[in-house]
Amino acid sequence: MHTGAPRDTLAQATKDFISARPQLFGIAYRILGSTTEAEDVVQETWVRWQNTDRTAVHEPAAFLTTVTTRLAINLAQSARVRRESYVGPWLPEPVDTRQDPQLGAERAEALELAVLLLLEKLNPVERAAYVLRQAFDYPYGRIAEMLEITEANARQLVSRARKHLAAERRERVSPAAHRRLLEVFLSAARTGDLSVLEDVLTADVVSYSDGGGTRGASRIPVVGRDRVSRYLAAFAPRFWPPADTRWVEANGRPAVLVSSGGETVALLSVDVSAEGIDRILWVMNPDKLSTYVASLDN
């Protein structure tokens, strides 16, 4: 990574950073599940890049990626403690992926909200190794260098993460099938149609509502087809009549933005397998919604 042709001008440093920025944000976002925290990491990387002896850096992109990854891991370790005191379920912040479907990556992996939620169960180093391999296709040797571990350990971390996801998540359906089932679900949820809800939900479905303590969201996950169906039917008469809906894209999947009285109140997304809907994600935290809606408007 070091020694080579001098790169000592701020103009060149800026060019190198701007070129790498989409990937830097993509890595930080996947590790942290937060657009705000990812932006903070990328900004700190830029500050460190300015203050680095760049004449000693042979591969700027590799240097920037390493700094970003390590900063994200450090922040994820402290974020885990903060999230333990979060009011109600914590969900990742959604991102609009219309302009960059893969969010700076080689592949659109580790990007769906449901996957980011499952990755939260891994420690930050495991998460980073998985992200670097699965989404950005880094060789194990480079991952080991970035994380300051052995190549064998890097392989083990990625393998462990893959097994965790495989155990927690069934095989996904096509985007078209995903959209169709979400349309059916939305119609049934709005009318409180128990029979249709029970038909599209899996037996072990879980509904997560992230209100951050500021909205009337359920503060515990609702689990099981019968409970989730009845929960949705019970609040349908209060929640849906004044609501307007807008189809959007969030984290590479169709989602529904719900507004009431001109104010955005929820982003609804689902995780779908061949057996039906197994996770329902309601992002209702105003801070997370405002960031997402701002990105749509831009």
Side-chain angles (χ1 to χ4, degrees), residues 97-137:
T97 45
R98 291 174 302 169
Q99 300 303 316
D100 183 1
Q102 299 180 174
L103 207 64
E106 296 291 325
R107 298 187 292 267
E109 296 292 326
L111 186 55
E112 293 178 48
L113 288 173
V115 174
L116 293 174
L117 179 62
L118 291 175
L119 289 179
E120 277 288 308
K121 297 181 180 181
L122 304 176
N123 71 55
V125 177
E126 288 176 328
R127 205 179 314 158
Y130 180 82
V131 164
L132 290 169
R133 180 63 182 174
Q134 294 300 113
F136 295 88
D137 202 28

Side-chain angles (χ1 to χ4, degrees), residues 19-30:
S19 177
R21 195 186 190 288
Q23 185 178 93
L24 304 182
F25 179 83
I27 291 171
Y29 172 70
R30 286 169 169 85

Side-chain angles (χ1 to χ4, degrees), residues 15-37:
K15 181 179 179 181
D16 291 334
F17 179 79
I18 291 174
S19 177
R21 195 186 190 288
Q23 185 178 93
L24 304 182
F25 179 83
I27 291 171
Y29 172 70
R30 286 169 169 85
I31 294 173
L32 294 162
S34 165
T35 57
T36 305
E37 292 175 350

